[in-house]
Amino acid sequence: MAIPRFDPVATIAIAQLLATSLWFSANSAADDLRRAWGASVSDIGILTSAVQLGFILGTLVFALTGLADRFPASRIFPVCALLGAAFNACFAWLSTGIASGAVFRFAVGICLAGIYPIGMKLIVSWVPERTGSALAYLVAMLTLGTALPHALRLIGAAWKWEYVIGSSSVLAALAALLIYLLGDGPHLSLRKKVAGTSFGAVLGAFASRDFRAAALGYFGHMWELYAFWTIVPLLIVRTALNVNLPSSKVSGLAFAIISAGALGCVVGGLFSHRWGSARVAALSLSLSGLCCLIFALAWRVFSPVGLLALLLVWGAAVVADSPQFSALSARACPPHLVGAALAIQISIGFAITIVSIAIVTGLFDPLGTKVAWVLLPGPLLGLLGFYPQWSRNVNSSR
């Protein structure tokens, strides 16, 4: 009996949304963990960095062994989503502290390497002619998935933190079912024998000036992005937005600020058709850096409404450049290296997030909102590294 299928792009996007709720599930219960385990802000940063480290390892394995080309994407995604759901549930009910919790979060990160990048491959297998715009929607869903645990915390205000985190496992299992039923697109090609790609060959992609510029812009973007997402609830608590708010309301505001990035990705994708990806990426990175600077300099003078507006704009801009950098990198490197080169770029980018997350969470208790200054070098250096490409793009259109 044939299984009815919905729109493939919509199905993959929804599955991405549900499965990537695993990413920041622990952060949604940060206040509860601080009470239950006596965890500090730095400890919460360790849990986040463990996910990032697992994701890096998983991405490198997929990139350099050729595993992603050896098996159907519609089978890799469900397996990784189910394993991620299991490890996330283990974190909720079996962890006894930061050490054991970090092990389970590391395992979740490995599984996410079979969800986010494989979701991109699924998009290509269904609609290769719409990869650019579809990729923007996919990153938008990743952003919403990142914010989703905060929404779950808001909905389940009376729940124990274990159930809040565990609900992400239920969503990831549903995502696995959606992709399993959807299957692979007609454009998927598998290779029975995949030798993998040498690390030296992949690094050769950086010899391309355009790939190098897009990668440097992406690295600056990544310094800021995940560190910002990590400290959003902390910024709410330490500023005028915290008017004796219960933790559930803090989660609601955090969800709004982070999920604004989904709208930023979609709008950026639409404007990229008219302006080009380079202009959109440069504008987004500039706007994000400007918001960071304004917040660091003048957050005290804003009213609660004005401060919320600033953080919403920052939340929209901070991730809007991500799909554009990926599209630029894909176009700039040799076709036979696209998958592996993007995987290496993503791995380096996430390695950078581990450093920035560790610094901002480690300094948050003594510095408070002043840690926003630590985020600012990301967009500034990213723009500097990306300048050769976006300036040439602007000049060529005159």
Side-chain angles (χ1 to χ4, degrees):
M1 182 179 66
I3 298 173
R5 289 190 175 101
F6 298 101
D7 177 76
V9 174
T11 302
I12 296 168
I14 292 171
Q16 187 88 335
L17 163 66
L18 300 178
T20 52
S21 67
L22 298 172
W23 214 310
F24 270 57
S25 61
N27 297 69
S28 66
D31 286 343
D32 301 283
L33 294 177
R34 294 176 75 175
R35 287 191 293 269
W37 295 349
S40 64
V41 173
S42 181
D43 290 331
I44 301 302
I46 290 173
L47 294 178
T48 306
S49 294
V51 180
Q52 309 298 81
L53 187 59
F55 182 82
I56 293 168
L57 177 61
T59 303
L60 286 173
V61 169
F62 274 109
L64 300 180
T65 63
L67 282 174
D69 293 319
R70 207 174 286 168
F71 302 99
S74 65
R75 296 299 176 262
I76 296 175
F77 188 112
V79 168
C80 289
L82 289 174
L83 287 175
F87 287 125
N88 186 66
C90 288
F91 171 81
W93 278 285
L94 299 182
S95 297
T96 56
I98 295 299
S100 57
V103 172
F104 288 123
R105 296 306 293 164
F106 175 78
V108 169
I110 293 177
C111 295
L112 284 166
I115 294 173
Y116 176 37
I118 297 300
M120 295 181 181
K121 184 174 182 179
L122 278 166
I123 287 288
V124 174
S125 76
W126 280 100
V127 287
E129 74 284 355
R130 293 166 47 199
T131 302
S133 59
L135 189 59
Y137 285 105
L138 206 65
V139 177
M141 291 303 105
L142 167 67
T143 305
L144 279 178
T146 300
L148 191 56
H150 294 290
L152 295 174
R153 188 70 186 88
L154 177 63
I155 295 170
W159 299 353
K160 292 183 178 180
W161 65 267
E162 293 92 342
Y163 290 100
V164 175
I165 293 177
S167 59
S168 291
S169 293
V170 176
L171 297 180
L174 178 57
L177 178 62
L178 287 175
I179 297 301
Y180 180 81
L181 295 178
L182 175 67
D184 293 288
H187 303 281
L188 177 73
S189 61
L190 292 178
R191 289 176 285 167
K192 293 182 179 179
K193 292 184 179 180
V194 181
T197 305
S198 71
F199 192 72
V202 176
L203 290 182
F206 285 88
S208 165
R209 180 176 60 176
D210 285 345
F211 182 86
R212 189 167 60 248
L216 290 174
Y218 175 79
F219 296 155
H221 145 83
M222 290 297 282
W223 174 271
E224 179 189 24
L225 177 61
Y226 277 85
F228 173 71
W229 280 349
T230 300
I231 65 171
V232 160
L234 303 175
L235 295 179
I236 293 170
V237 170
R238 291 289 186 96
T239 62
L241 291 176
N242 183 26
V243 187
N244 297 320
L245 290 177
S247 60
S248 60
K249 300 301 181 183
V250 172
S251 295
L253 289 176
F255 171 76
I257 292 166
I258 296 173
S259 63
L263 178 61
C265 287
V266 173
V267 172
L270 294 175
F271 276 102
S272 68
H273 295 298
R274 178 180 299 180
W275 294 350
S277 293
R279 280 187 173 184
V280 172
L283 178 62
S284 300
L285 199 55
S286 299
L287 181 57
S288 180
L290 180 62
C291 289
C292 181
L293 177 62
I294 293 173
F295 180 90
L297 285 173
W299 67 267
R300 288 183 178 83
V301 305
F302 283 93
S303 66
V305 172
L307 188 58
L308 178 59
L310 174 63
L311 288 173
L312 286 171
V313 173
W314 193 359
V318 75
V319 70
D321 48 2
S322 188
Q324 307 309 320
F325 281 129
S326 295
L328 289 165
S329 295
R331 289 198 289 265
C333 66
H336 68 284
L337 289 178
V338 168
L342 285 179
I344 294 299
Q345 176 177 299
I346 290 172
S347 296
I348 295 173
F350 275 86
I352 290 171
T353 70
I354 292 176
V355 178
S356 62
I357 289 171
I359 292 175
V360 297
T361 55
L363 293 177
F364 195 88
D365 280 333
L367 296 183
T369 55
K370 292 180 181 178
V371 296
W373 289 107
V374 178
L375 302 181
L376 189 57
L380 292 180
L381 294 176
L383 283 170
L384 183 63
F386 187 48
Y387 180 78
Q389 184 171 163
W390 68 264
S391 62
R392 188 170 65 256
N393 180 272
V394 171
N395 292 331
S396 63
S397 65
R398 290 177 180 173

